[in-house]
Amino acid sequence: MSSASPRSLATSALRTSLKGTAALGDAVQPPSSGITILIYHRVGAGAGGQMDLSPEAFDAQLAWLAATQRVLTMDAAVAEIDDIAGPTGPGVVLTFDDGTTDWLDTVLPALERHHIPATFYVATDFVDRGVAFPGDGQPISWASLGDLASSELVTIGNHTHQHLLLDRLELPAIEVELDRANELLGEHLGLKPDHFAYPKAVAGSPAAEEAVRARFTSAVLAGTRSNDRDADVYRLSRSPIQPSDGDKWFRRKALGGMHLEDDLRRTLNRLRYRRLAS
Ligand SMILES: [Zn+2]
């Protein structure tokens, strides 16, 4: 790691201490027994960074999940969370955001090896135009997405068309973001998505939320905590999985812990923005 810059070393030290502090928070407030939804982006895409996990790490996570956890489809999870009388127990749901080539090349074979279902939220404009996602994410083709969608382990969701934040658009533009993605997924894959993921996990404006509720049966944000029975299925929490989690913090997140990481990161971001603004 001799090539790492002082800045990236400082960032990684901060990340490690942040996770350590978040883990301490779990002792004060133990993770609940609800359903934890994990966020992944890419596996083995070779782009580096916190959104790209190594295939080996991903495989080890799936092996552990298959051996120790109840892994659910998004449909089953939403049904359990929505059912007041339902027998909701601890469970895990895997989700992927955006739409890159590794989904078919690396992610699906790994899911099949461990027989684990996952939901893939697609931002359709990148796929349709063949334009890279930020951070050098190579877009999956419609043909490959069709192959992915044909697996019984796979659920396809809507992640808007252009990946625009829905807290700041006027209603007509919000509707284009939701409906254009649905149209393209219908046209190319012959399906109508039931599930939605807000871009960058930023909650929508009231108008956006209403438009989402009218079109889908669930919507996901961030929050790094599990979802108890009777949680709002249009504001589900998800826990982002990063390479820097390692085994230890991955397992804590899968069990619904590490909520403090989300709180601390938000606070740090606020301080950073305030410093930039002053
Ligand atoms: Zn995204």
Side-chain angles (χ1 to χ4, degrees):
M1 293 294 282
S2 58
S3 62
S5 70
R7 196 197 148 120
S8 76
L9 284 174
T11 306
S12 106
L14 182 63
R15 194 179 292 126
T16 303
S17 69
L18 194 133
K19 286 182 197 292
T21 309
L24 290 176
D26 288 350
V28 180
Q29 200 172 34
S32 75
S33 61
I35 293 177
T36 308
I37 306 175
L38 307 179
I39 314 180
Y40 292 91
H41 285 85
R42 309 195 257 281
V43 176
Q50 289 300 309
M51 296 200 339
D52 187 10
L53 208 63
S54 80
E56 296 73 25
F58 184 58
D59 201 75
Q61 292 180 359
L62 294 186
W64 181 78
L65 287 170
T68 65
Q69 303 300 308
R70 197 168 64 107
V71 185
L72 304 170
T73 62
M74 185 59 79
D75 279 339
V78 169
E80 282 195 18
I81 292 166
D82 228 4
D83 182 1
I84 300 297
T88 307
V92 179
V93 177
L94 269 66
T95 68
F96 288 79
D97 284 10
D98 296 343
T100 43
T101 52
D102 56 289
W103 284 7
L104 183 67
D105 301 342
T106 312
V107 176
L108 182 61
L111 295 175
E112 282 172 338
R113 270 198 300 283
H114 298 281
H115 206 73
I116 284 183
T119 294
F120 295 80
Y121 295 106
V122 185
T124 48
D125 185 47
F126 297 83
V127 176
D128 203 45
R129 292 191 299 128
V131 175
F133 289 92
D136 201 24
Q138 288 312 302
I140 193 169
S141 66
W142 283 119
S144 294
L145 202 54
D147 288 346
L148 182 76
S150 69
S151 165
E152 59 170 15
L153 295 173
V154 169
T155 301
I156 299 290
N158 181 319
H159 193 36
T160 73
H161 183 51
Q162 290 189 283
H163 206 267
L164 300 180
L165 299 182
L166 298 192
D167 62 341
R168 58 202 65 183
L169 295 180
E170 297 295 331
L171 186 59
I174 291 167
E175 290 179 330
V176 168
E177 277 300 288
L178 304 179
D179 293 338
R180 185 68 187 131
N182 273 357
E183 264 170 35
L184 286 167
L185 292 169
E187 199 176 296
H188 291 276
L189 308 181
L191 56 84
K192 183 180 174 300
D194 287 326
H195 306 287
F196 177 74
Y198 286 96
K200 291 189 179 275
V202 172
S205 61
E209 216 178 332
E210 198 176 313
V212 166
R213 285 174 191 268
R215 287 164 175 78
F216 305 100
T217 58
S218 81
V220 288
L221 292 162
T224 314
R225 50 152 55 105
S226 68
N227 298 277
D228 287 322
R229 182 193 304 171
D230 80 11
D232 184 344
V233 294
Y234 289 96
R235 290 181 181 182
L236 292 170
S237 293
R238 290 196 295 172
S239 307
I241 300 304
Q242 303 175 318
S244 56
D245 287 332
D247 279 351
K248 184 169 74 177
W249 287 316
F250 164 73
R251 291 176 187 189
R252 276 177 182 270
K253 283 185 179 176
L255 297 172
M258 302 292 280
H259 171 61
L260 204 54
E261 184 186 43
D262 187 75
D263 280 352
L264 293 170
R265 185 175 293 131
R266 278 171 209 261
T267 305
L268 283 174
N269 282 341
R270 260 202 304 278
L271 291 173
R272 199 175 294 151
Y273 292 140
R274 192 177 300 160
R275 207 168 52 218
L276 287 175
S278 61

